[in-house]
Amino acid sequence: MNQPALRTSSGAVWLITATIFTAVCLVPLVAIIVTGGAAASVALIATVLLACLLTTMFIVRFTMTPGTRQLRWLAACMLSMAVVALIAMIVCVMIVWTSVRS
């Protein structure tokens, strides 16, 4: 809680890292969507959620007054993005794996 990114940051670092994180996560998710199959719907939902969370971060950054409240919202959105991406990847792998084993 005593991190500079949560106390004195302008919020730009959160937007930059979240944008890079989203781009990296979208590569396999879009590949799963293009490939099709049972996991495509999970990947599509995850892609939409990641885009919505990134958009929320930009809205928070440019509409809220600067301060710790804004930075905590940005951090919460970033953590939510990580959770969404991780769960989506695990579910997609489980779907594909069970279909291969059958």
Side-chain angles (χ1 to χ4, degrees):
M1 295 297 258
N2 199 19
Q3 305 267 337
L6 292 173
R7 289 182 293 122
T8 59
S9 174
S10 68
V13 68
W14 289 105
L15 296 181
I16 293 168
T17 56
T19 302
I20 293 169
F21 180 80
T22 302
V24 169
C25 289
L26 287 181
V27 170
L29 290 172
V30 169
I32 293 169
I33 294 169
V34 169
T35 305
S41 59
V42 175
L44 181 62
I45 292 168
T47 300
V48 169
L49 286 174
L50 288 173
C52 288
L53 285 165
L54 184 62
T55 303
T56 302
M57 288 182 75
F58 276 92
I59 292 170
V60 165
R61 166 64 175 85
F62 293 111
T63 59
M64 287 181 80
T65 57
T68 57
R69 184 170 166 241
Q70 176 196 50
L71 296 173
R72 287 185 181 167
W73 271 102
L74 292 173
C77 286
M78 181 73 186
L79 287 172
S80 299
M81 290 171 72
V83 169
V84 165
L86 179 64
I87 290 172
M89 291 300 193
I90 290 171
V91 170
C92 286
V93 167
M94 288 174 57
I95 290 171
V96 170
W97 189 43
T98 56
S99 67
V100 170
R101 291 182 65 203
S102 310

